[in-house]
Amino acid sequence: MSKGKDKVGGSKQFRWLPPMHEMMLKILAEEARKGNKPSSTFRAGSFALVAKEITAQFGVECHPSYVDNRMRTLRTMWSTIQTLRKKSGFGWDDNLKMITCDAKTYQEEVMAHRKHADYLNKKIDFYDELAIVVGKDTATDGFSKSYVDLENEPNNGSSTIGSGISKSRKRARAPSTADDSVLTDLSDQLRDIAVALKEINRGPVDYTSLYNEVMALTADGYSEDMLATAFDHLCENEKTARGFLAKNARLRKLWIDGLLFSQI
């Protein structure tokens, strides 16, 4: 056994730390962009690359089989996320990559499936990478295309079956002036959000302003004691505090509801 390496006897004993998880997703997302995920599975070399990089970066012996096993866990996570998104009573915030629900729905879901709390009213880290790595999306030139999008692309003459349908779909989806206007508005909104987040992340958290923003929710029926508990929690985690300030009023209330129910 080489010095500085912790030999791991089996994949079940290999502990996936959050930075390893992040590295794996980023490498495999890039592999997909390079065309190394021709279908729902990656080429063998992609898992070997992940194992090599993790071994080098973290000083533990990682094998491609461990990456393969981790993929099963990620597929289960993805399946849970997609199931929750489709359930009645749940919403989706595409800017924050977060499944949203009200306090009553949250409580009912968590009582039935405790682990689902990990996916509710919380930002799902690396959601876009998950979509590429274990979802049904194929990454091309830095963008993510779903199978529906690929189905509507021209077939370059490779087959004449269904060509009439494909052409009619393409004509039906041609962008209009109204579509251009909507896209422009969306682009402006995303730019404004990015600027706001940049300002929030600049310098230390203004806890006086944070306190005022939290206490302003008394107008929505929250007691001062409840909001004081939420404020104390935010003060303990600067990253969470910044995230709270970045949310709109509706999402702030959802976050507080989730925090309060988790303490019951």
Side-chain angles (χ1 to χ4, degrees):
M1 181 173 65
S2 61
K3 186 176 181 180
K5 303 282 177 74
D6 296 328
K7 187 173 183 180
V8 181
S11 60
K12 291 184 178 180
Q13 296 174 329
F14 189 84
R15 183 182 180 189
W16 283 90
L17 301 175
M20 296 177 183
H21 172 83
E22 177 182 350
M23 175 179 283
M24 173 181 170
L25 285 174
K26 288 185 175 181
I27 291 175
L28 290 181
E30 182 61 27
E31 285 292 287
R33 293 186 182 97
K34 293 177 179 178
N36 291 326
K37 184 190 176 188
S39 58
S40 61
T41 58
F42 284 87
R43 301 187 192 279
S46 297
F47 288 179
L49 177 61
V50 173
K52 178 182 176 181
E53 291 298 321
I54 288 178
T55 297
Q57 292 293 324
F58 298 97
V60 295
E61 190 173 345
C62 181
H63 295 290
S65 61
Y66 302 171
V67 181
D68 190 19
N69 286 336
R70 183 62 177 175
M71 284 289 290
R72 299 174 189 174
T73 300
L74 295 181
R75 290 189 185 98
T76 299
M77 289 172 54
W78 183 254
S79 177
T80 300
I81 291 169
Q82 297 309 306
T83 298
L84 287 171
R85 285 188 59 179
K86 295 175 183 177
K87 288 187 68 172
S88 176
F90 294 88
W92 174 249
D93 188 310
D94 197 50
N95 290 326
L96 295 176
K97 306 300 180 187
M98 182 168 68
I99 300 171
T100 60
C101 62
D102 57 31
K104 183 175 181 293
T105 304
Y106 177 94
Q107 185 179 29
E108 291 175 349
E109 184 65 28
V110 173
M111 288 182 66
H113 307 280
R114 186 175 181 180
K115 291 185 178 180
H116 287 186
D118 294 338
Y119 307 106
L120 301 177
N121 296 333
K122 297 178 182 178
K123 182 179 183 298
I124 300 174
D125 293 329
F126 309 108
Y127 179 89
D128 290 335
E129 286 81 359
L130 274 171
I132 296 171
V133 173
V134 295
K136 292 183 178 180
D137 289 356
T138 302
T140 305
D141 297 332
F143 294 92
S144 181
K145 294 184 178 182
S146 69
Y147 285 158
V148 174
D149 296 325
L150 293 173
E151 180 186 0
N152 291 327
E153 290 184 349
N155 57 25
N156 296 323
S158 60
S159 173
T160 58
I161 299 177
S163 60
I165 297 176
S166 297
K167 290 179 180 178
S168 65
R169 284 181 178 175
K170 185 176 181 181
R171 287 196 297 271
R173 292 170 63 89
S176 64
T177 303
D179 293 332
D180 291 340
S181 177
V182 170
L183 290 174
T184 300
D185 290 342
L186 179 59
S187 178
D188 291 340
Q189 292 175 26
L190 291 175
R191 184 177 64 251
D192 292 342
I193 291 171
V195 171
L197 289 173
K198 183 176 181 180
E199 291 300 319
I200 287 173
N201 288 324
R202 182 179 298 168
V205 173
D206 185 341
Y207 286 99
T208 300
S209 297
L210 176 63
Y211 177 82
N212 292 333
E213 292 293 335
V214 172
M215 289 303 167
L217 293 175
T218 54
D220 295 291
Y222 295 96
S223 71
E224 186 175 4
D225 290 344
M226 293 167 63
L227 294 177
T229 298
F231 176 71
D232 289 341
H233 182 83
L234 290 169
C235 288
E236 293 173 359
N237 191 316
E238 184 174 319
K239 183 177 179 180
T240 303
R242 292 183 188 279
F244 179 86
L245 290 172
K247 291 178 172 65
N248 59 31
R250 182 180 67 85
L251 294 178
R252 287 178 180 181
K253 288 186 284 185
L254 287 173
W255 180 86
I256 289 177
D257 289 340
L259 173 66
L260 296 176
F261 276 113
S262 69
Q263 296 180 344
I264 294 177

